[in-house]
Amino acid sequence: DLASRLDSAVGELISELVSRLGGLLASLASSLPRLFLFILVTLLSLVYFSLDYDKITAFLRAILPDRVTSVIVRLRDSFTLVIKKYVLSYSLILLITYATLLVGLWLMGVSHAPVIALFIALLDILPVIGVGTVLIPWGIYSLAIGNRLLGIGLLLLFIVNTVIRQTAEPRIVGKSLNLHPLLTLMMIYIGYAL
């Protein structure tokens, strides 16, 4: 009885996901021309700004007061430094996530563990989409088809990875940006909530 209920629930879930995916693909297809135009204009602007960067900065320095240009230069340098530190800290977090997933999948005997771990770790970079997007459905599916060891292992791997990430992320990002880990954790939570 439990197996038939689970099979029915999984079937309903899959049909709901397929119908929502169809709507998502239709809206994505309708927004492709606008997205293509935006990317094209952005790339062209980037090329023109890059080619005439010296002329543009010389023009701006000529018309703006020295105080304003010095503030702009300091802001640019600070922004560049923060972005570099941010990218490096999240690269370290990506590496930690990859290592955790690789070891977990390898211990469970999953074939192609390095590739699967890399794919899941790369998904973890994206906002909202994370490790749970793959591990939880995979674990539930494994339990449903009777592979209890793999299913429980995947769900435990998700929990272990989440604990490691929630512990490491505020410390790594906070340390690289010279912020207190509690403040960093609050900002990460606010960002996810938004």
Side-chain angles (χ1 to χ4, degrees):
D1 187 41
L2 178 62
S4 66
R5 286 185 185 177
L6 187 59
D7 187 42
S8 174
V10 169
E12 289 174 13
L13 177 66
I14 289 173
S15 66
E16 178 70 24
L17 287 175
V18 167
S19 67
R20 288 190 183 204
L21 184 63
L24 178 68
L25 290 176
S27 66
L28 179 66
S30 68
S31 65
L32 279 178
R34 188 174 47 231
L35 177 66
F36 178 72
L37 182 63
F38 172 77
I39 291 172
L40 181 67
V41 169
T42 302
L43 289 175
L44 285 174
S45 300
L46 179 65
V47 168
Y48 287 131
F49 275 118
S50 298
L51 290 175
D52 292 334
Y53 178 76
D54 294 331
K55 290 179 185 177
I56 293 170
T57 55
F59 172 74
L60 290 175
R61 286 178 191 238
I63 63 169
L64 294 174
D66 289 338
R67 287 189 331 229
V68 174
T69 56
S70 67
V71 168
I72 291 172
V73 168
R74 278 187 283 151
L75 283 174
R76 181 199 65 197
D77 293 344
S78 296
F79 181 74
T80 303
L81 181 65
V82 166
I83 292 297
K84 284 180 184 176
K85 287 181 177 182
Y86 191 76
V87 167
L88 286 174
S89 63
Y90 271 97
S91 297
L92 181 59
I93 292 168
L94 173 71
L95 185 63
I96 291 169
T97 303
Y98 175 72
T100 305
L101 292 170
L102 180 62
V103 168
L105 293 174
W106 179 73
L107 288 174
M108 287 183 271
V110 174
S111 60
H112 308 294
V115 176
I116 294 171
L118 180 64
F119 173 73
I120 297 171
L122 289 174
L123 280 179
D124 195 39
I125 294 174
L126 301 173
V128 180
I129 300 173
V131 171
T133 305
V134 175
L135 292 182
I136 292 174
W138 187 9
I140 292 171
Y141 175 75
S142 296
L143 288 171
I145 64 169
N147 194 346
R148 291 184 191 148
L149 191 60
L150 180 63
I152 292 170
L154 290 169
L155 296 175
L156 285 176
L157 181 60
F158 168 70
I159 292 169
V160 167
N161 184 68
T162 302
V163 169
I164 290 172
R165 176 152 179 161
Q166 295 300 324
T167 305
E169 187 173 15
R171 290 184 183 183
I172 292 170
V173 175
K175 190 174 184 178
S176 71
L177 298 178
N178 296 325
L179 295 173
H180 192 277
L182 184 59
L183 180 63
T184 307
L185 183 62
M186 287 173 28
M187 292 300 135
I188 290 170
Y189 176 74
I190 291 169
Y192 284 143
L194 292 174

